[in-house]
């Protein structure tokens, strides 16, 4: 593939700003569009690798991808440009929304609407999780690892932090054992 | 308790949560809830869920909900402290991992870590959904909304933000049709 010239700090900032601004209801689709198709900073395979690392590392996937991509082209300053780009406008918008929320939440109809939206948001997370699971090439270890994580946190009510101390080694062990 | 104390606590909480958010911010929602609602009592479960729903109306990464939590707890300073604390450790780790990636991405150990941690992250996300929904189970109409919204997002390719609008409308309709009483006097 023909490579465009490496992006400048400004290019990185603006590209990630576009991802942040247009990413309503999830940034994954728009991130792929901007990084792979529009700006051609990475090809599909490179992008999948960067995103795969984002999935294993803690933190927001797109922010992590920004850190790695920015560093690849422009070092530490590149990482900062990408993170600032993707966070700046959404942060301002969410603060404005917070101000609106504080104003309207006193009104009963707004509170009823927020209860409905909150329930829908909980369902949205469930639907997202189910969708991600169905997109795996599902193996026995996937059922086991996802199931024991869900059981520990939602049924046994272990704290997430102590759960992870047990679940991460257990997940590695189960995956390793079932693969052989 | 002084503002500086609260800001310090917010900062420490999200520095810690930053490193456990495997699979992204939505995977850590239960951990946020444990700290913000359960441990520090900065807000109720209901307000937490409403902030989460509000954050979905903003564009950008899911981690933006942390900005909103910080705002609710300690205003603008809280928003900034919580956001920076949530980003710093994870970004530092991603930076280091990016520099090392050439060496370890091709290794079988990396593949094993990926195969083990991706379903773990999905389990965390599902648990977040269950626990968020459970925080609202006192209202009869919320369960059908949760189920319908989950089905909508799972089965359809439409933008998930629509489920929030529909959920709000269903709750309003149910209230004014007299089907449920949310304990909120009609306006």
């Amino acid at each position: 593939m023909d490579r465009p010239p490496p992006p400048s700090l400004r290019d990185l900032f603006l590209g990630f700003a576009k991802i942040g601004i247009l990413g309503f209801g999830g940034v994954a689709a728009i991130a792929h569009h901007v990084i792979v198709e529009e700006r051609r900073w990475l090809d599909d395979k490179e992008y999948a690798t960067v995103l795969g690392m984002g999935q294993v590392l803690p933190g927001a996937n797109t922010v992590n991808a920004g850190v790695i991509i920015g560093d690849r082209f422009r070092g530490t300053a590149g990482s900062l440009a990408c993170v600032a780009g993707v966070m700046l406008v959404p942060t301002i918008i969410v603060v404005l929304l917070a101000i609106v929320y504080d104003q309207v939440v006193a009104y009963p109809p707004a509170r009823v609407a927020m209860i409905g939206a909150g329930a829908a948001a909980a369902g949205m997370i469930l639907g997202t999780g189910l969708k991600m699971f169905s997109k795996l090439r599902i193996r026995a270890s996937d059922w086991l690892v996802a199931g024991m994580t869900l059981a520990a946190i939602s049924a046994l009510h272990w704290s997430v932090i102590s759960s992870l101390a047990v679940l991460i080694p257990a997940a590695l062990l189960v995956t390793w054992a079932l693969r052989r | 308790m002084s503002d500086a104390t609260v800001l310090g606590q917010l900062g420490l909480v999200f520095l810690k949560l930053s490193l456990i958010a495997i699979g992204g911010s939505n995977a850590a929602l239960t951990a946020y809830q444990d700290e913000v609602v359960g441990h520090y009592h900065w807000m109720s479960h209901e307000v937490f869920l409403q902030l989460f729903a509000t954050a979905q109306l903003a564009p950008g990464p899911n981690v933006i909900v942390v900005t909103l939590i910080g705002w609710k707890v300690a205003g603008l300073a809280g928003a900034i402290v919580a956001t920076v604390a949530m980003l710093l450790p994870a970004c530092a780790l991603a930076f280091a991992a990016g520099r090392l990636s050439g060496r370890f991405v091709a290794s079988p150990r990396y593949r094993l870590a990926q195969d083990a941690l991706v379903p773990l992250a999905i389990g965390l996300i599902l648990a977040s959904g269950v626990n968020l929904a459970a925080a609202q189970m006192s209202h009869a109409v919320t369960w059908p909304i949760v189920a319908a919204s989950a089905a909508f997002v799972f089965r359809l390719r439409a933008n998930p933000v629509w489920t929030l609008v529909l959920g709000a409308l269903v709750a309003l309709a149910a209230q004014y049709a007299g089907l449920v009483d949310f304990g909120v006097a009609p306006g």
Side-chain angles (χ1 to χ4, degrees):
Chain A
M1 189 179 76
D2 248 358
R3 285 284 177 174
S8 66
L9 287 176
R10 189 166 167 274
D11 296 335
L12 289 169
F13 178 84
L14 291 176
F16 272 86
K18 182 172 182 179
I19 293 169
I21 294 165
L22 295 183
F24 275 100
V27 284
I30 183 74
H32 178 266
H33 173 77
V34 169
I35 293 167
V36 177
E37 290 160 30
E38 188 184 273
R39 317 269 158 131
R40 291 188 292 140
W41 291 336
L42 302 178
D43 63 28
D44 260 312
K45 197 168 162 232
E46 291 166 330
Y47 183 69
T49 305
V50 169
L51 212 64
M53 291 175 63
Q55 285 176 323
V56 176
L57 294 165
N61 290 348
T62 313
V63 176
N64 285 343
V67 168
I68 294 168
I69 292 169
D71 180 45
R72 183 170 300 181
F73 290 115
R74 296 287 162 191
T76 313
S79 293
L80 290 172
C82 292
V83 175
V86 81
M87 292 300 294
L88 185 64
V89 175
T91 307
I92 293 168
I93 292 177
V94 92
V95 168
L96 294 176
L97 283 171
I99 294 168
V100 173
Y101 169 86
D102 280 342
Q103 297 296 314
V104 303
V105 80
Y107 297 99
R111 289 189 51 199
V112 171
M114 284 309 297
I115 289 169
M124 192 181 96
I125 293 295
L126 281 173
T128 306
L130 291 172
K131 201 173 209 170
M132 288 172 73
F133 191 76
S134 70
K135 279 185 182 164
L136 297 175
R137 290 178 296 115
I138 303 173
R139 287 168 289 211
S141 60
D142 294 328
W143 280 105
L144 217 60
V145 171
M148 69 190 188
T149 306
L150 183 60
I153 291 168
S154 287
L156 302 176
H157 300 291
W158 292 2
S159 85
V160 176
I161 294 174
S162 40
S163 301
L164 286 178
V166 177
L167 288 170
I168 293 175
L172 289 167
L173 192 67
V174 163
T175 310
W176 175 78
L178 289 182
R179 181 187 282 178
R180 299 155 61 84
Chain B
M1 201 163 31
S2 74
D3 284 357
T5 313
V6 174
L7 285 177
Q9 287 171 338
L10 256 183
L12 286 176
V13 162
F14 283 106
L15 282 173
K16 179 173 71 175
L17 292 176
S18 177
L19 289 176
I20 64 149
I22 294 170
S25 178
N26 284 346
L29 283 170
T30 297
Y32 300 168
Q33 244 178 330
D34 287 349
E35 296 287 345
V36 169
V37 180
H39 189 269
Y40 285 103
H41 306 291
W42 280 325
M43 61 191 70
S44 67
H45 278 297
E46 188 169 328
V47 169
F48 180 87
L49 186 53
Q50 291 177 5
L51 289 183
F52 174 67
T54 306
Q56 305 309 307
L57 299 176
N62 293 322
V63 68
I64 207 82
V65 67
V66 169
T67 310
L68 208 45
I69 293 171
W71 168 274
K72 188 73 190 164
V73 174
L76 190 58
I80 294 166
V81 166
T83 310
V84 171
M86 185 68 193
L87 289 177
L88 263 184
C91 285
L93 196 61
F95 188 84
R99 295 230 159 156
L100 294 171
S101 67
R103 255 176 284 161
F104 77 89
V105 163
S107 76
R109 279 190 192 156
Y110 174 78
R111 284 297 311 278
L112 176 68
Q114 196 165 26
D115 289 345
L117 293 182
V118 169
L120 185 133
I122 293 171
L124 289 173
I125 291 170
L126 290 170
S128 291
V130 170
N131 292 5
L132 282 177
Q136 283 246 324
M137 66 200 290
S138 53
H139 304 297
V141 78
T142 55
W143 282 106
I145 296 177
V146 169
S149 165
F152 180 103
V153 174
F154 180 46
R155 303 302 307 180
L156 305 179
R157 298 199 59 176
N159 194 317
V161 174
W162 287 113
T163 66
L164 302 189
V165 179
L166 293 172
L169 291 176
V170 168
L172 281 170
Q175 163 94 4
Y176 288 97
L179 293 174
V180 266
D181 181 8
F182 287 106
V184 177

